[in-house]
Amino acid sequence: MSERNPAAPRKPTSRKPSPRPPPDPAVLSDQLTKTAANAELPARLRTLLRKAAAALAESGAKPAAAAERRHRAFLDAIPDPTLIISRTGVILDANAAALATYGRKRHELVGHPVRRLNPGLPDNFLDPVLEMIDRGETHITQTINVHSNGTRFPVEVHSARLTSADGPVILAIARDLSARTDAGTRYTSLADAIDRAITLHDRDGLVLYLNPAAARMYALDSHALGRPLRDSDDWTVVDPQGQVLAPAAYPLARALRDGKDVNATIGLYQHSSQRLTWLSVTIVLQYDPGSTRPDRALMLGSEITDLQRDKALFERVQELAQIGGWQWNRRSDALHLTSESMRILRQRRPPAAMEALLACLDAEDGKRLRKTLKAIRGDTGFDLELRGRTQRAAPFWIRMIGEPDPLDPGHNRFTGTLQDITESKRAEDALRAQAQTDALTGLLNRDAILESIRDGLDADDGPDLAVLYIDLDRFKIVNDALGHDAGDRLLVEVAQRLRKAVGKHGAIARFGGDEFLVTCRIADDPQRPERLARRIQTAFEPPFLLGKTEFSVSSSIGLSRAPTDGTTPERLIQSADFAMYVSKRSHHRGFQNFSPALEHAQQERLQIETRLRRALDNGEFHLAYQPQVDLHTGRILFAEALLRWNSPDLGTVAPERFIDLAENTGDVIRIGHWALLEACTRMRRWQEQSLPIQRVAVNVSYRQFVGEDLVASVRRMLKDTGIPGHALELEITERVLVEDTRDTALVFDGLRSLGVRLTIDDFGEGYSALNYLRRLPLHGLKLSQGFVHGIPDNRSDVAICQAVTGIARSLGLDIIAEGIETEAQRDFLLRLGVTVGQGYLFQPGLPPGELAKRLLAQTG
């Protein structure tokens, strides 16, 4: 490859040279003239140069003159005063219209500052003009010009950039506004007479005009022209809610910024006078021809201070009463709500139509209101309680009242009120929940579960319900050993375990004491009751921790189903209850369904219940008296009255078949009252016969403690029969202690004050708490025959009997043993220190006459 020769000629290109502009004749003529002045040149050459220069000068002057004529014709053709101004503000030229308008000659304008025509211009008046025209835009302003005779007239000046041979200059065209001002003067007179604030503002918000009403309302004077409407710290602008508005949020600023007319209510607070003026303002924008931005804004303001005060007072009353107003036009669907109504509906933006209001309500209540509105005819109104809803907040309640507007002949307009009733509804719900809730466990209470069962039995698609009756095993041991506080804690823990076991599959209630009910549906899952029973029993397997002590508490469960096992809540629960007792007696800690076999027993039970209610009135009860004897001698000391029932239909009914039933039905109150009076009467007769018997013992049910004034009844019986209080002994069932009503101690104190002897029956079965022996005014204990039956061979029964007698001895209480059937049992009890007892070893229950004979025999 050969090296490139730098000296080689370049290859010519095809680009043509740009044509050179022709020389300026004036410049060339000037150069020739200067050359002809050189004395060193020959005279003849100098003469030729002078002639050439003159010829060039003449040829160059003709186009310039023609251009000048064209320039002058162009300016003079403009009908408005037109000036050419330098960028420093000096007038370079003026057209004929300018000379005529200003009454001046050309030399009086050209070369002079433009201030000659407007002496009031500021020093930097050209800055905004030059800034705008240099961007290629036209600057438009209104100002005042001066005639040569000193008169002033308004003009609108349009300025644009013009490029000349000497550089950029300003082309300014002034439009005389005198004719427009004359017409405006007439409108100004009208505006001055109107008692509404009228102000005219430029696009920057500066005041161009204000009428007297505006000067008065805004506290302005003539110096306000050319300034913002509010440029003092003495003023604060607020919205209708009293919130301070930033200047950018003023209605005028919003209208000029957004290019939209504005209607608004504002408050002007003047700090110096502490005066608040309320105005309703309307801003109307004005545009110049071809302009896309508002050039001016006309603001109209009306003082509404009194109206706003009344409105504020009315709204305040609505807020205090929590009552809002509404108006709806059925034909146009236009809806108006007061601010309080919007607050009640939890809405920031007012619903504009009824459908929007319905959307604020619960779906079902919205349908109910829609149906009500459609059904309104004539002058009928409505009053509804409706549940509202929001996306995040909790549901609320409103009361909506409405009626046709009496001033509307078309009956299309409805007016009414909205009231927030959320708190009252919540209080009502809380009271309802409280009335249906067990205070200790938080579960449903007895009344609530009965209502729930009744609803399930009355379902539209037929009964769909199963009942689980749950009884805690060994609960009374915990309750008695550790006290009621521990028993209550145990019940609370039981309720929690039941909730976890049942979940959402059923309803749970505390039915009373340590008994619970669970109800569930069975139509969709027939095996649900058994499955829940197993889950409940599994939940009870872990021991309960009470303090530092663990207790194992199991459950016995009975199941019943509707409608086969009952068609009423009471019968369905009774069937489940009976099944539960069967389960408890079987000791297998399982659950038991109510079956046909059990149904027979239930029918027998119902038969007994039916006849039991009439037995007392029919005289079917009588008392037998079992002697209580001195175990050393067999001598009769006392007697226990035993209730017996001989039914014409059922024959002799054993006490264990009807006593519990009488307690459940409440009949035991009347029966127990009769038995107590009968025993007192019999004791009086024995005393009258001088028989050697010291007292008679009568069993008292817990129902008599809670169902009647036992102290008053006993006092009256003692008085009526004439026996002393110490001749009567009341054997109190363990349930009296378990129930432990608030007045139990008062009842015990009242009975003891009468001299009546008080004994706990069947002590030792694990139900009687030792703290009662210390707290209640008792006289003695009765050792249960269930433990006496096992002595002296059963080690557990021996231990219990030893413990009970030891407790009685340490507390200074007497003790009586019942159910003694053998000499071995008597001998063992004597060794324990028990000296009084009763049982078949001595005598069964005897008729009163037979007992009297035995007592007489003792005296012989």
Side-chain angles (χ1 to χ4, degrees):
M1 173 182 272
S2 61
E3 295 183 359
R4 181 177 179 181
N5 183 3
R10 294 182 178 179
K11 184 177 180 180
T13 64
S14 59
R15 181 179 179 182
K16 296 180 180 180
S18 302
R20 299 181 62 183
D24 187 346
V27 175
L28 185 58
S29 174
D30 184 59
Q31 292 176 350
L32 290 176
T33 300
K34 290 180 180 179
T35 303
N38 189 352
E40 297 179 358
L41 296 175
R44 183 178 179 183
L45 178 59
R46 288 162 44 193
T47 300
L48 291 174
L49 289 174
R50 284 195 292 272
K51 290 181 178 180
L56 286 173
E58 183 180 358
S59 65
K62 290 180 179 180
E68 175 64 21
R69 286 194 298 272
R70 289 194 300 271
H71 171 75
R72 177 61 47 203
F74 169 74
L75 287 180
D76 290 343
I78 300 175
D80 294 320
T82 304
L83 302 176
I84 296 178
I85 306 171
S86 72
R87 295 175 68 88
T88 59
V90 177
I91 300 174
L92 301 179
D93 201 351
N95 70 347
L99 300 178
T101 299
Y102 300 123
R104 298 180 184 274
K105 296 183 180 180
R106 185 177 301 278
H107 69 274
E108 293 177 330
L109 293 178
V110 176
H112 294 277
V114 74
R115 278 199 179 86
R116 170 165 287 192
L117 299 178
N118 191 349
L121 289 175
D123 293 339
N124 59 344
F125 76 97
L126 280 177
D127 291 349
V129 177
L130 295 174
E131 180 182 356
M132 186 167 290
I133 67 175
D134 286 345
R135 293 200 305 264
E137 300 178 10
T138 299
H139 181 271
I140 302 174
T141 188
Q142 292 184 1
T143 185
I144 303 297
N145 280 177
V146 182
H147 195 273
S148 61
N149 60 11
T151 61
R152 297 172 180 266
F153 57 95
V155 294
E156 184 177 76
V157 181
H158 294 243
S159 302
R161 178 187 172 104
L162 181 67
T163 302
S164 69
D166 296 326
V169 294
I170 303 171
L171 175 66
I173 301 176
R175 182 172 298 165
D176 190 350
L177 300 179
S178 298
R180 184 189 306 176
T181 303
D182 292 340
T185 301
R186 294 192 294 273
Y187 291 108
T188 300
S189 299
L190 178 62
D192 289 347
I194 295 177
D195 192 27
R196 294 187 65 187
I198 301 177
T199 55
L200 183 66
H201 304 262
D202 65 11
R203 66 173 52 179
D204 296 320
L206 305 182
V207 178
L208 300 177
Y209 166 79
L210 75 161
N211 70 341
R216 173 175 52 81
M217 292 183 189
Y218 303 147
L220 300 175
D221 53 26
S222 59
H223 294 91
L225 296 178
R227 296 180 179 179
L229 185 62
R230 297 262 66 87
D231 61 350
S232 171
D233 293 337
D234 192 35
W235 292 88
T236 297
V237 182
V238 298
D239 65 12
Q241 285 71 44
Q243 300 297 319
V244 176
L245 292 178
Y250 292 174
L252 177 62
R254 286 165 39 209
L256 291 171
R257 180 183 65 245
D258 301 337
K260 297 179 180 179
D261 295 347
V262 172
N263 293 299
T265 298
I266 59 172
L268 299 180
Y269 179 73
Q270 189 175 30
H271 297 274
S272 59
S273 65
Q274 296 185 351
R275 179 172 178 262
L276 177 63
T277 302
W278 287 99
L279 298 174
S280 174
V281 297
T282 300
I283 294 92
V284 180
L285 301 176
Q286 297 178 350
Y287 295 81
D288 286 336
S291 178
T292 59
R293 292 178 55 196
D295 297 281
R296 288 168 300 282
L298 180 67
M299 184 167 73
L300 308 177
S302 299
E303 184 174 354
I304 57 170
T305 302
D306 292 340
L307 179 63
Q308 188 71 9
R309 183 184 299 113
D310 293 342
K311 178 182 177 183
L313 288 173
F314 178 68
E315 291 185 351
R316 182 56 179 159
V317 170
Q318 286 187 329
E319 292 175 3
L320 292 174
Q322 293 186 325
I323 298 177
W326 62 272
Q327 186 180 77
W328 176 56
N329 189 303
R330 177 163 52 186
R331 181 176 295 276
S332 65
D333 198 31
L335 177 67
H336 173 73
L337 298 175
T338 64
S339 58
E340 180 63 13
S341 291
M342 293 170 54
R343 188 199 66 78
I344 290 173
L345 290 171
R346 278 67 169 171
Q347 297 297 309
R348 294 183 178 178
R349 296 181 179 180
M354 184 55 69
E355 283 298 323
L357 187 148
L358 295 175
C360 302
L361 304 176
D362 174 76
E364 291 301 320
D365 283 356
K367 293 178 182 178
R368 187 157 60 97
L369 176 57
R370 183 185 291 109
K371 183 178 180 180
T372 300
L373 293 173
K374 289 182 179 179
I376 290 179
R377 295 290 183 274
D379 58 353
T380 59
F382 65 89
D383 186 342
L384 298 176
E385 291 185 355
L386 306 167
R387 183 169 56 182
R389 63 178 179 181
T390 57
Q391 292 182 348
R392 297 180 181 178
F396 58 94
W397 282 89
I398 64 171
R399 181 185 182 190
M400 188 173 187
I401 300 176
E403 62 182 5
D405 191 336
L407 301 179
D408 178 23
H411 301 290
N412 290 316
R413 191 166 60 236
F414 294 84
T415 58
T417 59
L418 289 177
Q419 183 177 6
D420 192 334
I421 58 172
T422 303
E423 292 304 321
S424 62
K425 276 291 185 181
R426 287 176 179 170
E428 182 181 323
D429 292 343
L431 289 175
R432 184 183 298 108
Q434 184 177 357
Q436 296 183 340
T437 303
D438 177 64
L440 177 63
T441 62
L443 300 174
L444 296 177
N445 61 17
R446 185 187 190 98
D447 293 337
I449 198 66
L450 287 173
E451 181 180 350
S452 176
I453 295 174
R454 191 173 293 108
D455 292 341
L457 294 174
D458 296 338
D460 295 337
D461 53 353
D464 179 16
L465 192 69
V467 172
L468 286 73
Y469 200 114
I470 305 165
D471 182 80
L472 303 183
D473 302 323
R474 305 181 71 247
F475 167 75
K476 292 182 175 116
I477 296 177
V478 176
N479 205 41
D480 295 343
L482 299 182
H484 280 281
D485 288 342
D488 288 347
R489 292 198 301 273
L490 175 61
L491 292 175
V492 171
E493 177 64 24
V494 166
Q496 293 176 353
R497 295 195 185 186
L498 285 175
R499 287 191 184 96
K500 292 180 181 179
V502 176
K504 298 180 179 180
H505 301 291
I508 316 170
R510 183 187 178 200
F511 199 59
D514 61 338
E515 297 171 342
F516 297 83
L517 289 187
V518 173
T519 63
C520 64
R521 298 184 60 189
I522 53 177
D524 60 330
D525 185 358
Q527 298 303 314
R528 181 176 286 130
E530 287 81 2
R531 188 164 57 254
L532 287 179
R534 283 189 288 269
R535 291 179 62 176
I536 291 171
Q537 290 182 326
T538 300
F540 279 58
E541 288 178 357
F544 291 84
L545 182 62
L546 299 175
K548 297 181 179 179
T549 306
E550 289 187 348
F551 283 88
S552 295
V553 178
S554 58
S555 63
S556 298
I557 304 176
L559 280 64
S560 64
R561 287 173 166 79
T564 55
D565 301 336
T567 56
T568 66
E570 294 76 13
R571 186 58 54 82
L572 201 59
I573 293 173
Q574 195 175 55
S575 297
D577 184 16
F578 192 85
M580 182 274 296
Y581 274 112
V582 173
S583 173
K584 184 180 288 288
R585 286 195 297 268
S586 66
H587 299 292
H588 67 277
R589 295 184 181 180
F591 58 86
Q592 176 68 53
N593 278 288
F594 189 80
S595 64
L598 295 178
E599 185 176 7
H600 176 72
Q602 178 71 353
Q603 292 298 329
E604 181 181 341
R605 177 183 176 127
L606 293 176
Q607 190 178 29
I608 294 174
E609 178 182 339
T610 301
R611 286 163 175 76
L612 180 64
R613 293 171 182 170
R614 301 192 299 266
L616 183 61
D617 296 331
N618 295 338
E620 298 174 12
F621 290 112
H622 68 275
L623 295 181
Y625 297 88
Q626 185 173 37
Q628 296 176 337
V629 303
D630 184 332
L631 297 184
H632 290 286
T633 65
R635 184 178 180 85
I636 299 175
L637 303 175
F638 323 112
E640 179 183 1
L642 303 175
L643 185 64
R644 296 292 183 257
W645 179 21
N646 290 324
S647 170
D649 300 321
L650 304 176
T652 301
V653 183
E656 59 269 18
R657 295 179 62 193
F658 71 86
I659 293 296
D660 287 345
L661 184 59
E663 286 194 344
N664 291 336
T665 62
D667 292 322
V668 74
I669 296 177
R670 292 179 62 237
I671 297 172
H673 185 88
W674 172 86
L676 188 56
L677 180 59
E678 178 69 16
C680 290
T681 302
R682 180 59 59 183
M683 186 64 190
R684 177 58 182 172
R685 293 176 183 173
W686 288 336
Q687 288 180 342
E688 291 173 348
Q689 297 172 13
S690 300
L691 296 177
I693 184 169
Q694 301 176 31
R695 63 175 177 263
V696 63
V698 182
N699 285 281
V700 177
S701 167
Y702 87 99
R703 288 275 193 176
Q704 291 175 265
F705 268 77
V706 299
E708 65 172 341
D709 189 345
L710 185 60
V711 176
S713 295
V714 172
R715 181 185 296 112
R716 186 167 53 252
M717 292 178 190
L718 294 177
K719 181 179 179 181
D720 292 344
T721 59
I723 66 172
H726 61 77
L728 177 65
E729 179 179 15
L730 299 183
E731 294 187 1
I732 302 158
T733 62
E734 60 186 1
R735 190 164 182 179
V736 173
L737 305 182
V738 172
E739 293 293 333
D740 189 27
T741 63
R742 183 177 57 184
D743 298 329
T744 298
L746 296 177
V747 175
F748 274 69
D749 290 336
L751 293 173
R752 181 151 184 166
S753 68
L754 296 175
V756 176
R757 183 179 177 85
L758 302 174
T759 301
I760 298 178
D761 192 15
D762 293 331
F763 188 84
E765 289 187 352
Y767 298 144
S768 301
L770 298 180
N771 62 322
Y772 291 109
L773 304 182
R774 174 180 54 84
R775 185 164 58 87
L776 296 177
L778 299 170
H779 295 88
L781 306 178
K782 200 166 189 182
L783 188 60
S784 173
Q785 63 179 345
F787 303 116
V788 172
H789 179 75
I791 59 175
D793 300 322
N794 187 292
R795 295 179 59 186
S796 296
D797 291 340
V798 168
I800 292 175
C801 290
Q802 290 173 338
V804 171
T805 55
I807 291 171
R809 189 162 39 251
S810 64
L811 294 177
L813 299 176
D814 295 334
I815 189 166
I816 298 176
E818 63 179 348
I820 303 174
E821 299 180 353
T822 66
E823 291 290 345
Q825 292 171 349
R826 182 182 68 170
D827 294 342
F828 179 81
L829 290 170
L830 285 171
R831 288 195 298 274
L832 288 179
V834 180
T835 61
V836 179
Q838 63 188 85
Y840 284 106
L841 177 62
F842 309 105
Q843 295 293 337
L846 301 174
E850 184 64 27
L851 179 60
K853 292 179 182 179
R854 306 237 175 193
L855 290 170
L856 285 173
Q858 285 186 174
T859 61

